[in-house]
Amino acid sequence: MAGNDWINSYLEAILDAGGAAGEISAAAGGGSGVEGASGEKRDKSSLMLRERGRFSPARYFVEEVISGFDETDLYKTWVRTSAMRSPQERNTRLENMSWRIWNLARKKKQIEGEETSRLSKQRREREKARQYAAADFSEDLSEGEKGENSNEPSIHDERTRTRMPRIGSTDAIEAWTSQHKDKKLYIVLISIHGLIRGENMELGRDSDTGGQVKYVVELARALGSTPGVYRVDLLTRQISAPDVDWSYGEPTEMLSPICSENFVHEMGESSGAYIVRIPFGPRDKYIPKEHLWPYIQEFIDGALVHIVQMSKVLGEQVGSGQPVWPVVIHGHYADAGDSTALLSGALNVPMVFTGHSLGRDKLEQILKQGRQTRDEINATYKIMRRIEAEELCLDASEIIITSTRQEIEQQWGLYDGFDLTMARKLRARIKRGVSCFGRYMPRMIAIPPGMEFSHIAPHDVDLDGEEGNEDGSASPDLPIWADIMRFFSNPRKPMILALARPDPKKNITTLIKAFGEHRELRNLANLTLIMGNRDVIDEMSSTNAAVLTSVLKLIDKYDLYGQVAYPKHHKQSEVPDIYRLAARTKGVFINCAFIEPFGLTLIEAAAYGLPMVATQNGGPVDIHRVLDNGILVDPHNQNEIAEALYKLVSDKHLWAQCRQNGLKNIHQFSWPEHCKNYLSRVGTLKPRHPRWQKNNDATEISEADSPEDSLRDVHDISLNLKLSLDSEKSGSKEGNSNIVRRHLEDAVQKLSGGVNASSVEGLSENGRWPSLRGRKHIIVIAVDSVQDADFLQVVKNIFEASSNGRLSCSVGFVLSTSKSISEIHALLISGGIETSDFDAFICNSGSDLCYPSSSPEDMLSPAELPFMVDLDYHSQIEYRWGGEGLRKTLIRWAAEKNNESGQNVFVEDEECSSTYCISFKVTNTEAASPVKEIRRTMRIQALRCHVLYSHDGSKLNVIPVLASRLQALRCDCYLNAFLYFHKHVINITI
């Protein structure tokens, strides 16, 4: 019952801290979703505690109770408070409070149980998928395929024989420059959220404008200054909002090159690094990254226009008249990765991806805290959309770049689409030239972020660790030095420096305990805690405020006044001075976070001559391997932390050796080193570029028709009509047809007002797409949700409404459907509609792109249908297509599902299948598996594909991962035809 005494104390503290009953209810009873002790229904808005933007002691104490005590003890407390019921208001509130907290604890336990069951099911599914993959592989596995005991170099092993040596000297840099100076590479980087500009970056303004913004800008700048790279475009969002600076609305910004003699190379008219801002989403509003997802397709269209145009411009400058396509498109973060995958597919250009912060890892961390349910997390962060985008990046990427190996093994290992053991086996089979049965894993490569060290000069030290002058930087009058040193009774003692925000993951409280309980360390050194900027603790987020409150309590507990500094404010520009102060006192930098994804501050500190004590979990392991400038510790062991700190500050020779090692090796984390490793990896990729070529017989673009603007103009006048199936079932089919016709006529009339019929010139009949390239407007009819007879009638209505004399030559029609080309042909013939009335057909959910043709040599076999297949489109979507290996796996999966349900739910439809579409008939839509489940099953087996049901669920199509109706439309209209005329696209979904 001792536990109940503790709980009672916390409950009393909650009542004292909460004040008003409403705040207490929000803290303790915020949403169990069940009836309370008095029978009232509780609010379901929040199951667990949330941050409200400011510190609340009530919420803090509730968290302590729920996380620190067993459900049984909480139940006993409620029983006891109920037995002691009295008419006093405080006792009534205490009873209700104890009940609410008990229910929160029950719910938390239930959620944890459900999560455990989910993870257990996930592990079983993965193991089953691995068994299937192993069954497909040959039985005579080589040593390289056996995984952990393989002597074959891993695809993640940085010590491969082919790995180029790190740049460690000027001679090595000059050799690299000489070897690559004649190349003219074009690289596209994409980072679409946050505020991005080249100078005076507003880092820390919001959660979207942080380290990633600085990284991508500096990467673009460094690559643009690297020999062999002609141009780098960093594509981001154009923002013309009143609450942000005007510079974010500028379409283009050139980044100043790195000033280094080693990177001077020939400049051209369009060479260098640029920020290119693509307008998409709300034009006059700056929105967070979680709200950008609906506008991704708009960004892709605008980015396509820019890349196509720039490739043509570069071709005229350095490509002998042939387009210079990007050697790679590199996406940063999930939203940009989603865009990059689709751009890569449309342009047939290799994709590289850097996740920076992975959604699944973030989800697991928040769930462990027990503050929010999975649904609440998804509502706040759109986390499931983010995770699916990251899975798509695994499907589409050639290379995934991480900062550390820990990110590969512990973070990417959480995803369905990546398995380290499977990756090793596939890599071994590829080296042996053995079939992988359509399976594929992207190559994971750890390349630490670069840093600029040109402004940092190494300082000599003698054996006693005495430091030389720093050209005036050692002045004791620096404001930040005075602000820190005022805390200390003896400011000349060695300084232990920690630079981290007050977050529980940073483990600051354990550091203070280690310092406070080690007497020798306290006598020898001071401790400086740089914990961000703050004004009033109560205005901080609840999590940060709780950590800072604990820090202050521990300082008081160990009576560390005069030995610990914790300034309230510092500028970003003052951080180097803080490092210099710690180095001047012969101090140590410490990062004892529970897990540190990379550890950029460790590299910064080493550049200023500070030895390190760092966590043994995560990126610091890789940093220590290179720098060898300190000691790794278990972040949970405060004695080990204290001993490591004491060892470094007490042993002058060890301190000097660690300092010297750091200064000697620090340039292995420089931008030149990063870019050289980056380009050496990119250089191993097989070059790919768009397969479609410009037709010499086509009419050249006139100045008025040139697509100078983004496709925003196309979307602004487009028409999207969606007919409700419910309306059809209620007997209003004819009404819907009339609505379609009336809206279509209005849209066509709108278009006709801006069309000059004389501007549409006929093209040579020898042109490959004679009709498409002569169209000023394209109407895309997406068909799936109506009966065949209704579809035929709607198509006739569309044709009739579009028969305006001024438009007859300028309007083209594209039919988009999940049906096969043979099904569409039979349907059109039955309705008396000529196939030649359409300019193109997007069939099998976007896996086939066909054009009407009367030439016998173009007709499709074996039925000799009057269509010509776009083989160039097929060559682009075949990327990562599993082919026969995928088909066999799907048939096996369908057989299992049929056995489980006791009926033939999935039946292979060989007649409707094609080379790039595996089709199944679905006989029972109620028993059909969800798309997410099918896609996940394939991903676990390293099979990359796009899974779609038809609108009525009667057909299941599995197509290449980068194929879709929209991608086919882009290839058909926006690429093949867009090069010739700026088109207006009307999309009619039926």
Side-chain angles (χ1 to χ4, degrees):
M1 293 296 292
N4 279 336
D5 294 334
W6 277 98
I7 295 171
N8 288 335
S9 299
Y10 273 118
L11 294 178
E12 294 288 345
I14 293 170
L15 290 179
D16 293 336
E23 182 177 358
I24 299 172
S25 177
S32 64
V34 292
E35 291 186 357
S38 59
E40 68 270 23
K41 189 75 174 180
R42 303 299 177 198
D43 180 22
K44 292 185 67 175
S45 61
S46 174
L47 177 61
M48 306 307 289
L49 304 173
R50 300 189 188 192
E51 294 184 20
R52 307 279 192 212
R54 54 175 296 180
F55 177 62
S56 168
R59 286 194 293 273
Y60 170 78
F61 288 125
V62 170
E63 288 182 20
E64 290 294 311
V65 174
I66 293 176
S67 60
F69 296 94
D70 185 77
E71 173 201 346
T72 305
D73 286 334
L74 295 176
Y75 172 74
K76 292 178 180 178
T77 300
W78 172 61
V79 170
R80 191 168 66 174
T81 54
S82 299
M84 299 171 61
R85 183 180 302 169
S86 71
Q88 295 182 6
E89 179 187 356
R90 184 176 181 88
N91 287 343
T92 302
R93 290 169 60 197
L94 184 63
E95 178 188 353
N96 290 335
M97 179 73 68
S98 59
W99 183 91
R100 292 169 183 168
I101 291 178
W102 168 51
N103 270 279
L104 282 173
R106 290 172 58 199
K107 277 305 218 181
K108 181 183 177 183
K109 185 175 180 180
Q110 178 184 344
I111 292 172
E112 290 173 347
E114 292 173 353
E115 189 66 16
T116 300
S117 300
R118 187 188 65 81
L119 293 175
S120 177
K121 179 182 178 182
Q122 186 180 64
R123 283 193 295 270
R124 291 195 301 269
E125 290 176 347
R126 287 198 174 199
E127 185 58 35
K128 184 177 181 180
R130 288 173 184 168
Q131 291 174 1
Y132 283 147
D136 286 341
F137 293 162
S138 58
E139 296 182 0
D140 54 335
L141 299 179
S142 69
E143 288 302 312
E145 291 179 88
K146 293 181 181 178
E148 300 297 334
N149 298 325
S150 171
N151 293 323
E152 184 93 26
S154 164
I155 64 171
H156 310 289
D157 191 351
E158 295 295 329
R159 296 167 296 179
T160 58
R161 295 179 182 178
T162 58
R163 186 187 178 200
M164 301 181 69
R166 289 183 177 273
I167 293 179
S169 67
T170 302
D171 292 340
I173 297 177
E174 290 178 350
W176 170 264
T177 301
S178 176
Q179 182 181 357
H180 296 83
K181 64 181 180 180
D182 294 331
K183 293 184 178 180
K184 303 293 183 182
L185 301 181
Y186 175 32
I187 296 174
V188 175
L189 309 177
I190 300 179
S191 180
I192 64 176
H193 68 256
L195 298 171
I196 297 180
R197 63 184 179 188
E199 305 297 333
N200 301 317
M201 289 178 277
E202 299 182 71
L203 302 180
R205 167 175 171 148
D206 52 55
S207 59
D208 290 352
T209 310
Q212 178 185 329
V213 169
K214 182 180 179 182
Y215 172 80
V216 294
V217 171
E218 292 186 353
L219 174 61
R221 195 194 312 272
L223 285 172
S225 303
T226 302
V229 177
Y230 187 76
R231 182 179 174 105
V232 177
D233 281 339
L234 170 55
L235 306 187
T236 188
R237 180 172 175 244
Q238 185 182 40
I239 306 168
S240 301
D243 57 337
V244 301
D245 191 76
W246 63 269
S247 59
Y248 300 111
E250 289 295 294
T252 306
E253 176 185 351
M254 184 175 184
L255 297 174
S256 58
I258 294 177
C259 297
S260 173
E261 296 179 359
N262 299 315
F263 290 101
V264 175
H265 57 285
E266 183 180 356
M267 300 293 288
E269 183 180 350
S270 299
S271 64
Y274 296 82
I275 297 174
V276 179
R277 299 183 177 93
I278 307 294
F280 70 99
R283 299 292 179 264
D284 58 351
K285 187 177 181 181
Y286 173 51
I287 57 178
K289 58 180 176 290
E290 290 82 10
H291 298 165
L292 285 177
W293 293 109
Y295 311 107
I296 293 292
Q297 299 293 343
E298 187 180 353
F299 168 78
I300 294 169
D301 290 334
L304 269 176
V305 174
H306 170 78
I307 294 173
V308 169
Q309 288 182 321
M310 184 52 59
S311 297
K312 181 180 178 182
V313 170
L314 297 181
E316 295 172 351
Q317 294 179 10
V318 297
S320 302
Q322 296 298 318
V324 175
W325 298 106
V327 66
V328 74
I329 304 179
H330 186 168
H332 295 265
Y333 197 80
D335 47 12
D338 190 273
S339 308
T340 304
L342 298 179
L343 279 170
S344 169
L347 291 169
N348 196 34
V349 170
M351 172 184 174
V352 174
F353 178 66
T354 300
H356 293 280
S357 173
L358 298 183
R360 199 171 286 279
D361 182 60
K362 182 180 182 70
L363 175 62
E364 297 296 329
Q365 290 180 11
I366 299 177
L367 286 173
K368 286 179 181 178
Q369 295 174 6
R371 298 181 182 180
Q372 293 175 282
T373 66
R374 185 177 291 268
D375 290 340
E376 288 177 325
I377 297 169
N378 188 47
T380 303
Y381 300 104
K382 303 295 184 292
I383 202 77
M384 302 314 296
R385 179 67 179 85
R386 176 175 163 186
I387 290 172
E388 177 54 33
E390 289 160 347
E391 291 280 11
L392 177 60
C393 292
L394 285 168
D395 292 339
S397 295
E398 299 259 14
I399 291 176
I400 290 182
I401 295 178
T402 69
S403 299
T404 65
R405 294 182 182 132
Q406 178 266 347
E407 186 179 341
I408 297 173
E409 298 169 358
Q410 299 184 21
Q411 295 187 38
W412 280 113
L414 298 172
Y415 286 76
D416 300 328
F418 182 73
D419 181 86
L420 190 57
T421 302
M422 177 84 74
R424 288 171 174 162
K425 290 183 177 182
L426 292 175
R427 187 68 178 170
R429 296 181 72 87
I430 291 172
K431 287 184 177 181
R432 292 174 55 211
V434 179
S435 172
C436 293
F437 297 93
R439 290 173 168 82
Y440 162 78
M441 285 282 179
R443 187 165 189 176
M444 295 277 181
I445 299 173
I447 306 179
M451 289 188 62
E452 179 55 49
F453 300 120
S454 60
H455 62 287
I456 303 174
H459 312 293
D460 295 331
V461 294
D462 59 25
L463 292 178
D464 292 326
E466 295 296 333
E467 184 177 13
N469 290 331
E470 301 184 16
D471 298 328
S473 63
S475 170
D477 298 326
L478 293 174
I480 189 62
W481 285 20
D483 196 28
I484 292 173
M485 296 174 73
R486 67 185 174 86
F487 283 88
F488 300 133
S489 56
N490 184 356
R492 299 299 176 186
K493 293 197 300 185
M495 178 192 295
I496 298 169
L497 173 63
L499 199 157
R501 65 185 185 275
D503 187 288
K505 295 179 292 185
K506 297 302 181 181
N507 200 27
I508 298 174
T509 54
T510 300
L511 170 61
I512 299 176
K513 292 176 183 177
F515 182 77
E517 295 180 11
H518 197 291
R519 183 169 296 277
E520 292 84 357
L521 182 61
R522 289 177 55 179
N523 293 334
L524 183 60
N526 291 324
L527 176 62
T528 297
L529 305 174
I530 307 297
M531 299 177 289
N533 291 285
R534 65 185 184 277
D535 289 315
V536 181
I537 294 180
D538 287 347
E539 295 178 356
M540 300 173 67
S541 69
S542 61
T543 302
N544 293 349
V547 172
L548 191 55
T549 301
S550 299
V551 167
L552 297 177
K553 288 181 178 180
L554 288 171
I555 291 173
D556 185 74
K557 174 181 178 180
Y558 294 110
D559 195 14
L560 298 178
Y561 300 106
Q563 296 176 292
V564 179
Y566 41 95
K568 297 180 69 172
H569 298 283
H570 72 280
K571 300 176 182 177
Q572 185 66 28
S573 59
E574 292 176 324
V575 172
D577 294 326
I578 298 173
Y579 288 132
R580 289 190 182 99
L581 176 60
R584 184 175 177 80
T585 63
K586 305 178 187 63
V588 176
F589 184 81
I590 181 166
N591 180 334
C592 58
F594 292 120
I595 297 178
E596 182 58 59
F598 179 62
L600 193 61
T601 54
L602 296 172
I603 299 175
E604 292 176 346
Y608 289 93
L610 275 174
M612 72 173 188
V613 172
T615 176
Q616 65 186 13
N617 300 328
V621 176
D622 295 334
I623 294 173
H624 181 265
R625 184 182 294 113
V626 174
L627 297 181
D628 189 23
N629 70 327
I631 302 172
L632 298 179
V633 295
D634 178 359
H636 299 277
N637 190 330
Q638 69 182 56
N639 292 330
E640 188 175 333
I641 294 172
E643 287 298 327
L645 290 169
Y646 182 72
K647 184 176 182 180
L648 277 174
V649 296
S650 63
D651 188 334
K652 292 185 178 181
H653 291 285
L654 176 62
W655 184 90
Q657 184 63 52
C658 288
R659 169 189 169 88
Q660 192 61 36
N661 288 348
L663 291 174
K664 179 179 67 176
N665 298 319
I666 192 63
H667 287 282
Q668 297 188 29
F669 291 99
S670 67
W671 276 118
E673 170 69 14
H674 179 96
C675 292
K676 190 211 69 172
N677 286 328
Y678 180 96
L679 293 175
S680 66
R681 300 297 188 177
V682 168
T684 64
L685 300 178
K686 181 180 178 181
R688 292 192 285 124
H689 53 78
R691 300 297 182 90
W692 43 265
Q693 299 293 333
K694 182 175 179 179
N695 191 302
N696 294 329
D697 296 327
T699 303
E700 293 293 333
I701 325 176
S702 67
E703 187 66 26
D705 291 325
S706 178
E708 292 298 331
D709 297 324
S710 77
L711 289 183
R712 175 182 75 242
D713 298 331
V714 174
H715 291 144
D716 284 346
I717 66 167
S718 67
L719 172 67
N720 291 276
L721 299 177
K722 295 187 179 180
L723 304 184
S724 169
L725 288 177
D726 295 333
S727 297
E728 293 171 10
K729 292 177 181 178
S730 62
S732 57
K733 297 179 185 178
E734 184 171 349
N736 281 329
S737 298
N738 292 333
I739 292 173
V740 172
R741 181 169 180 172
R742 184 172 67 253
H743 282 288
L744 182 61
E745 289 173 344
D746 292 341
V748 171
Q749 185 176 5
K750 178 181 178 181
L751 291 176
S752 65
V755 174
N756 182 358
S758 63
S759 68
V760 182
E761 301 177 5
L763 298 175
S764 169
E765 289 302 319
N766 295 326
R768 183 168 179 188
W769 297 277
S771 55
L772 268 179
R773 286 180 173 169
R775 303 304 190 190
K776 195 70 174 179
H777 309 284
I778 297 175
I779 297 177
V780 182
I781 307 174
V783 185
D784 271 325
S785 63
V786 297
Q787 299 296 321
D788 292 347
D790 296 325
F791 156 68
L792 293 171
Q793 185 59 49
V794 169
V795 169
K796 291 176 181 179
N797 290 342
I798 293 172
F799 284 166
E800 183 179 348
S802 305
S803 61
N804 184 303
R806 301 179 67 188
L807 288 174
S808 58
C809 296
S810 64
V811 175
F813 296 93
V814 175
L815 187 62
S816 176
T817 177
S818 63
K819 299 178 184 293
S820 67
I821 190 66
S822 59
E823 290 177 298
I824 285 297
H825 178 255
L827 182 58
L828 294 178
I829 295 302
S830 68
I833 300 175
E834 295 293 331
T835 57
S836 58
D837 291 339
F838 288 91
D839 296 279
F841 297 87
I842 299 172
C843 304
N844 283 332
S845 300
S847 64
D848 289 316
L849 180 56
C850 304
Y851 307 95
S853 173
S854 58
S855 174
E857 58 207 31
D858 291 332
M859 290 188 176
L860 289 175
S861 299
E864 294 189 350
L865 300 176
F867 300 99
M868 175 178 63
V869 176
D870 191 335
L871 299 180
D872 286 344
Y873 177 66
H874 276 173
S875 69
Q876 294 205 172
I877 67 172
E878 69 179 354
Y879 177 74
R880 305 308 176 201
W881 176 238
E884 187 61 23
L886 173 62
R887 176 181 169 276
K888 290 180 178 179
T889 303
L890 284 168
I891 291 175
R892 180 171 57 202
W893 166 84
E896 288 185 356
K897 291 299 177 181
N898 292 341
N899 289 335
E900 290 176 6
S901 62
Q903 54 183 316
N904 289 331
V905 178
F906 298 99
V907 179
E908 185 182 11
D909 190 347
E910 296 185 10
E911 292 184 1
C912 293
S913 297
S914 65
T915 306
Y916 296 97
C917 177
I918 303 170
S919 186
F920 289 86
K921 295 178 181 178
V922 182
T923 60
N924 185 349
T925 57
E926 296 294 329
S929 304
V931 165
K932 289 183 179 179
E933 178 185 320
I934 304 172
R935 191 166 50 207
R936 182 169 181 271
T937 301
M938 297 302 110
R939 277 176 174 157
I940 291 174
Q941 299 188 57
L943 293 164
R944 315 295 172 172
C945 57
H946 193 185
V947 181
L948 307 100
Y949 282 104
S950 61
H951 197 282
D952 60 2
S954 63
K955 175 182 286 192
L956 173 68
N957 284 342
V958 180
I959 61 178
V961 65
L962 294 180
S964 69
R965 297 200 216 181
L966 187 54
Q967 288 291 79
L969 182 61
R970 285 192 176 109
C971 184
D972 184 19
C973 300
Y974 294 176
L975 296 180
N976 290 328
F978 191 86
L979 291 178
Y980 300 90
F981 292 100
H982 188 44
K983 300 189 180 302
H984 295 156
V985 178
I986 298 179
N987 181 25
I988 302 178
T989 303
I990 302 178

